[in-house]
Amino acid sequence: MKILAISTGNPKKASDDKGEWSSAIFREPVEGLIHLGMRSLDNDSVDDTKHHGTVDQAVCCHPVEHYSYWREHYGLAEDDSCLGAGSLGENLTVEGMIEAQVCVGDRYKMGTAVVEVSGVRYPCWKQERKTGLKDFLANTKKTQRTGYYLRVIEEGDLQAGDEPELLTRPFPEMTIARVNKAIHEPAT
């Protein structure tokens, strides 16, 4: 397990063929130590406070392994700029922490901070609009490559390259993958 990149950003306006829109999805990787407070990383905020920015959504994580899948699925080059660390609006681009390996309630030490997995990231239309990838929202739901959120238990500092340490796993059966399945697959 490893934090490959830490990305932050603040709301900004964008324009495309559908008109003007505002979002904080335009996060960029940062270098060095960064402080993680109870609600967010330093120099990071959200635009849509109705759906984002609660204490249970202090940090958004996205597994790097999904970027390889999406590049292959959409026939993109490895260096295509629409997909890279932070490009789906995540704060932490992580390795070795896919949805099937992470459980709701897991506590990790990341740098000097302690965080807890709080739930799935529900896919958003803004990811599709930002990347320009056709049907990205539907494909994210279908493949359940959503990422997940962390709440902060103890504030601290972290940086890219840190290796999260699992402290506790109270609900080993409650993987993010299982929660995604309950959300995105019809009941039988």
Side-chain angles (χ1 to χ4, degrees):
M1 296 184 295
K2 191 174 202 175
I3 299 172
L4 296 181
I6 300 176
S7 302
T8 63
N10 291 291
K12 72 179 200 178
K13 294 193 183 305
S15 294
D16 58 20
D17 59 346
K18 296 176 185 171
E20 190 173 274
W21 57 296
S22 180
S23 178
I25 198 169
F26 301 95
R27 290 187 166 87
E28 295 289 333
V30 296
E31 298 293 325
L33 281 177
I34 186 163
H35 185 73
L36 175 58
M38 294 306 286
R39 292 188 76 101
S40 69
L41 292 159
D42 279 355
N43 197 33
D44 188 70
S45 62
V46 299
D47 185 62
D48 177 2
T49 56
K50 180 179 178 184
H51 298 103
H52 303 287
T54 70
V55 293
D56 290 336
Q57 300 168 320
V59 178
C60 181
C61 297
H62 196 81
V64 71
E65 292 87 349
H66 297 343
Y67 284 120
S68 297
Y69 172 85
W70 293 123
R71 282 188 195 95
E72 184 177 327
H73 179 82
Y74 285 101
L76 302 173
E78 186 67 29
D79 61 350
D80 192 296
S81 64
C82 80
L83 290 178
S87 65
L88 295 178
E90 77 271 17
N91 300 113
L92 302 184
T93 307
V94 294
E95 179 180 60
M97 299 179 74
I98 62 171
E99 291 84 350
Q101 299 167 318
V102 174
C103 302
V104 174
D106 282 1
R107 284 196 180 184
Y108 292 92
K109 184 168 180 96
M110 293 183 170
T112 61
V114 176
V115 297
E116 182 178 275
V117 178
S118 53
V120 303
R121 177 189 190 180
Y122 197 83
C124 174
W125 61 269
K126 291 180 181 183
Q127 293 171 314
E128 183 171 324
R129 194 162 179 184
K130 179 183 180 272
T131 62
L133 299 173
K134 184 174 173 29
D135 298 322
F136 189 79
L137 177 59
N139 287 327
T140 299
K141 290 177 185 179
K142 181 179 173 184
T143 63
Q144 300 171 21
R145 288 173 164 81
T146 60
Y148 44 90
Y149 285 109
L150 307 175
R151 69 173 58 96
V152 178
I153 304 302
E154 293 177 22
E155 294 185 16
D157 300 317
L158 58 155
Q159 64 187 338
D162 284 347
E163 296 180 358
E165 173 191 353
L166 179 63
L167 301 175
T168 61
R169 177 167 280 164
F171 310 110
E173 71 287 348
M174 194 56 64
T175 64
I176 293 295
R178 184 174 184 185
V179 176
N180 264 334
K181 184 175 181 173
I183 294 170
H184 298 293
E185 291 183 15
T188 55

